[in-house]
Amino acid sequence: MVFVVAGLLLNVTPGPDVLYIASCSMRQGWKSGAVAALGISAGCFIHITAAAFGLSALLMASATSFAVLKICGAAYLIYVGVSLMVQRPATAASPAAVPARLRKVFLQGFLTNALNPKVALFFLAFVPQFINSGATEKAAAFLFLGAVFNFNSMLWNLLVAWSAAQASGKLRNSGAAAWMNRCIGGLFVALGIKLAFAKSA
């Protein structure tokens, strides 16, 4: 129970994942935000699996590896931010274009999470606190707790997607949509710059 409550409190903290989900919902509606949430959850499973089997610990122990992942993640966030800043507000897409657009949303959500070394550091620091030091199957326990955290996180992210879509329904069809894109893009660029200067510990 303590693990679930602590995880939920951490989930509500704003970050690149929540910002990306909100931006998709605000620009393209609830379905886009939900797909973004699923992509982020998929990226989170990469970190959970890597941490459970010790791969994340090896990565974080190497300053070079951490720096490479950090720069890739920062560059990607800045790329997404700049793309949003220069993008025109979305118009009604043709039925044939919707699947392709949603695939892109899913992939971007996946990469936003998977390329963030801070997520790997989080799982290495947070989850082991809830695993008995004498447990014989620590990897299995880590995977289970990680799955619980990710499931709860997805529920929260879906709520964020729905709330953002409801709050911005009118903006998507007004001149304010372009400014909304620029503001969200600017936040992504700022987060990318912040990540670029982040330290491993």
Side-chain angles (χ1 to χ4, degrees), residues 31-45:
K31 182 179 290 186
S32 180
V35 170
L38 292 175
I40 285 168
S41 292
C44 195
F45 271 121

Side-chain angles (χ1 to χ4, degrees), residues 16 66-67 69-78 111-113 115-119 121 188-200:
F66 179 83
L69 182 59
K70 179 183 69 173
I71 294 303
C72 288
Y76 186 72
L77 289 178
I78 292 172
L111 292 175
T112 296
N113 187 280
L115 291 178
N116 189 348
K118 290 298 183 180
V119 179
L121 287 173
F188 263 100
V189 171
L191 287 171
I193 293 173
K194 181 180 179 180
L195 177 59
F197 290 96
K199 296 181 179 180
S200 59

Side-chain angles (χ1 to χ4, degrees), residues 81 84-87 89 175-188:
L84 288 172
M85 293 171 72
V86 301
Q87 183 182 61
W179 286 103
M180 184 171 63
N181 277 0
R182 295 188 186 108
C183 290
I184 294 173
L187 289 173
F188 263 100

